[in-house]
Amino acid sequence: MAKIAAEVRRAAVARLEELRADGVLTAGHVRTVAQSTGVSERTVWRWLSPPAARSVRQPRPHYVLSETDREAFAFYRGNIAALHRARHAVVAGDGTTAGAPVPGFLAEGWDRARPVTLRTLQRAFAEELTPAERAAWQSGESGRRAASVYLQRPDALRGRCWEMDHKQIPLLVLPPKGKALCPWMTTVVDDGTRALLGWSVALAPTSGTVFTAMRMAMLHEPDVSPFGAVPERVRIDRGLEFAADAVEAALGTLAVVMHRLPAFTPHRKGKVERLNLTIEQTLISQLPGFTGGPRDAGGKLYGPVKDSVAAKQAAEGQAGGPMRIERFVDRFAAWARWYNTERPHRMLGGRTPLQAWTDDPAPLRRIPADELRHLMLADAERTIRKDGISFNSLSYVAPELQGRGGQVVQIRYMPHDDRQIEVYLAGKHLCTAHPTGQLTAKQTDAFRIHAAAEAKRLGQERRRASRQARRTLAPMTGDGTPPAESRLVPEGDGRTRTQRERDQALAARASTSLLGLTDPTADPES
C-alpha cells in the first residue's frame, strides 16, 4: 500500500509541477488532488515546496523480532501486551511482571535488549508472523485452520463420489420415551452436484443409520426423486459406525471403494461439512430447542425440557418448547426437498443441486430396488412369538410366520421407518412383515386365509399319517392268520414240517400272549 501511495503521489506532483510551469496552477487543482489522494491541501502544498524548504523526516526505525520475542509470543499465548510488560521488566532490571518473575529463558534472551514500545512490538508481530501463526497461539488449531489455505478437488461427475458424515444436531427433541436429547444425523452428499442424496435421524449413531442414508442415496424412484445411483467412491471419517463389518460388506458387494480419511481432517470432506453448517444456519437455528439459542440467567434454554408427562404435553403446544423427534423428521424432509430443488448454490453458478444433476450427462449405475432392499438395511436377531416378531414396541406379522413360533430369525429394518421389516431364516429371505395395528384389510384377510390353509394342511397330514399307522399295525391285530407279507421267512426255505407247524402255533397264540394271557389247552412242550 505504501508503494502504491508513493507512485500516486509522484504522478500527482508531476502534474501539478506542469501546471505551475504553464502558469495555470490554482488552489482548485490542489484541492482536487488532495481529495483524490485522501490527504489535506496543506500536505499537497508541502509536496510542491522546494526540497530545501521541506522538513527532513527521519524514517521510522524498523524493529526485527528476535528469537526470544517469538518464544515469548508462544509462552504468553499470543498476548503481546503481556509480552511487552515482561520484556520491559527485564530491560528495566526489575525481572518481575504481574507479581511473578519472568521465566529464566526469556530473561536471558532479553538481556541487554533495547527498549521498544508496545505499538512497535504489535507492528512487528503483524508484519513478520502470518495470520495462521498468530491464530495458532491465540485461539488454537481452529484458528490456524480458519486462516489456512487448502487445495480444492475438481468436482466429480454426478453419482460418482459421495461424502458421508455423522453429526449430533444442536437441537433438543423429545424421543418416544425418556427425557429431551440431541439426536444424531447421517448425511450423504454428491461430490459433483452438492445434492443431499440421503439422510437419516436417530437417537444414537449406529450402522443402521448409515444403511438408511446409503439406501436412500442409492434407491432410484422416478416418482419421488431423480437422484439415486451406486457410486464409485465414498469418503468417510473415522467413525466406528462407518467401519462396521456390515457396512464394508454391503459397499464391497457393490464394488464401492471406501476412502477412510485421516483423523481430524474435516476439510478433506468439506462439501458435507459445509452442508451440515447450512442445515444449522437455515433450519436448526430457527426451531425451538436450539442449543445455541437464547438462555436464561441460569444458563438453561428457554422452553420445557423436563422429563415429565406435563412437560411433554406442554411442549407440544408451546412455540418455545422442544418438538417431538417424529415432527422434526418431517420438518427436515421438507427442508431437504427445498434445498435440492429451490435453493440456488453459489458454487454451482446459481443453479440448484437438482438442476446441476439434470444438466450433467454422465451415465449412472443403478441397482434394482429388490436387490438393494436386502443390502442396505440394519439387522437384528429376534424370536418368533405368538403375537409375531416384537421390535421397537411393535408386533410384526406375516402369513409366512404361521407355525414358526419359537424359531430364531434375522430381521432387517430402516431405523426411522417402522412400516415393515424384512425377515430372514438361515440366510434366506422368508417374508416382509408389517405391524399388527397397521395391517390393511387385504393383508388381514390374507393372513387369516393362510392360517386356515395351514391348519387344513396340517390336519390332512395328520390324518394321512394315522391311516398309514393303522395299515402298519394291521398284522398284529388280525384274526390269528398273518398275512403273507408279514412272514419273516418265505415258504420253500428248507424248513421241516415240524418247524413250520411250531411257527404256526406260535403265531396263533400271538394275539393273547402280547396281553400277558396264555392258552390253557396248549401243549407246554409245543
Side-chain angles (χ1 to χ4, degrees), residues 72-300:
F73 187 82
F75 180 80
Y76 289 106
R77 299 294 186 268
N79 191 337
I80 301 178
L83 182 152
H84 176 261
R85 287 194 298 269
R87 189 181 189 279
H88 178 73
V90 172
V91 173
D94 184 6
T96 60
T97 176
V102 178
F105 71 97
L106 296 180
E108 182 179 354
W110 280 328
D111 188 26
R112 299 181 182 180
R114 67 181 180 88
V116 293
T117 63
L118 174 61
R119 185 69 187 95
T120 299
L121 284 176
Q122 291 173 339
R123 187 184 304 110
F125 278 108
E127 292 176 355
E128 297 187 31
L129 296 185
T130 64
E133 289 177 309
R134 296 196 300 270
W137 295 111
Q138 292 172 349
S139 55
E141 182 65 14
S142 61
R144 185 197 67 81
R145 291 183 177 181
S148 298
V149 178
Y150 300 96
L151 295 175
Q152 184 176 0
R153 295 188 186 93
D155 292 337
L157 299 175
R158 65 170 183 174
R160 300 296 175 84
C161 182
W162 288 355
E163 290 186 1
M164 298 182 62
D165 187 40
H166 271 320
K167 177 180 177 62
Q168 189 171 21
I169 305 172
L171 180 74
L172 285 172
V173 297
L174 291 171
K177 296 180 180 179
K179 62 179 65 176
L181 49 77
C182 293
W184 287 76
M185 174 180 292
T186 304
T187 48
V188 181
V189 177
D190 181 59
D191 180 271
T193 63
R194 271 77 168 179
L196 177 57
L197 301 178
W199 55 272
S200 63
V201 178
L203 301 181
T206 62
S207 59
T209 60
V210 177
F211 275 131
T212 301
M214 290 195 305
R215 183 177 184 271
M216 184 183 298
M218 290 186 185
L219 186 60
H220 176 62
E221 297 177 314
D223 298 337
V224 179
S225 170
F227 306 120
V230 179
E232 297 177 354
R233 179 183 296 271
V234 176
R235 298 193 191 105
I236 57 177
D237 56 21
R238 294 282 171 171
L240 297 179
E241 302 79 19
F242 295 120
D245 294 339
V247 175
E248 293 187 358
L251 292 177
T253 302
L254 299 176
V256 179
V257 178
M258 293 181 63
H259 185 193
R260 188 170 289 110
L261 301 173
F264 307 108
T265 56
H267 60 279
R268 298 187 64 174
K269 50 180 179 63
K271 294 181 177 65
V272 68
E273 294 287 350
R274 186 61 183 87
L275 175 64
N276 290 335
L277 180 59
T278 300
I279 294 172
E280 180 176 336
Q281 292 174 339
T282 60
L283 176 66
I284 306 299
S285 62
Q286 303 174 18
L287 298 178
F290 175 51
T291 57
R295 296 176 179 268
D296 60 15
K300 295 182 180 181

Side-chain angles (χ1 to χ4, degrees), residues 55-61:
S55 59
V56 180
R57 194 173 180 181
Q58 296 295 333
R60 180 182 297 168

